[in-house]
Amino acid sequence: IFYTGVEGPADLTVTATNLIVSCGAAVDGIYQLESNTNMLSGAWTKLGGPVTAITTSIMLQDTNRSRMNQRFYRTSFTTP
């Protein structure tokens, strides 16, 4: 997992169908979880919608994790 603008360590929860990333955040920051099957090339796919942090932590999730054998994840960060 790569981080852009996310503060602190992340916790990962993996189930048969979901991957949930819980991590620190900047209040009012806008975060987007993205995935790609090739870390070095190709387009990154946005997973779900953007999440605006209302506290200093956020949860982002991939609800289709079971559809791929391998994925790389990153978060994008923007300010309002």
Side-chain angles (χ1 to χ4, degrees):
I1 295 182
F2 297 100
Y3 296 99
T4 304
V6 176
E7 302 169 357
D11 291 320
L12 300 177
T13 303
V14 180
T15 69
T17 58
N18 295 329
L19 175 125
I20 301 168
V21 179
S22 303
C23 56
V27 174
D28 293 329
I30 301 167
Y31 297 86
Q32 176 72 57
L33 185 63
E34 300 175 344
S35 72
N36 193 341
T37 57
N38 185 332
M39 189 169 64
L40 301 177
S41 66
W44 288 83
T45 301
K46 293 180 180 183
L47 303 173
V51 175
T52 301
I54 57 173
T55 66
T56 57
S57 63
I58 56 169
M59 285 181 29
L60 304 166
Q61 69 178 342
D62 177 1
T63 58
N64 293 314
R65 190 193 73 76
S66 64
R67 298 176 79 194
M68 296 287 193
N69 290 332
Q70 176 176 305
R71 277 189 179 174
F72 297 96
Y73 294 91
R74 71 180 185 187
T75 59
S76 62
F77 168 79
T78 57
T79 56

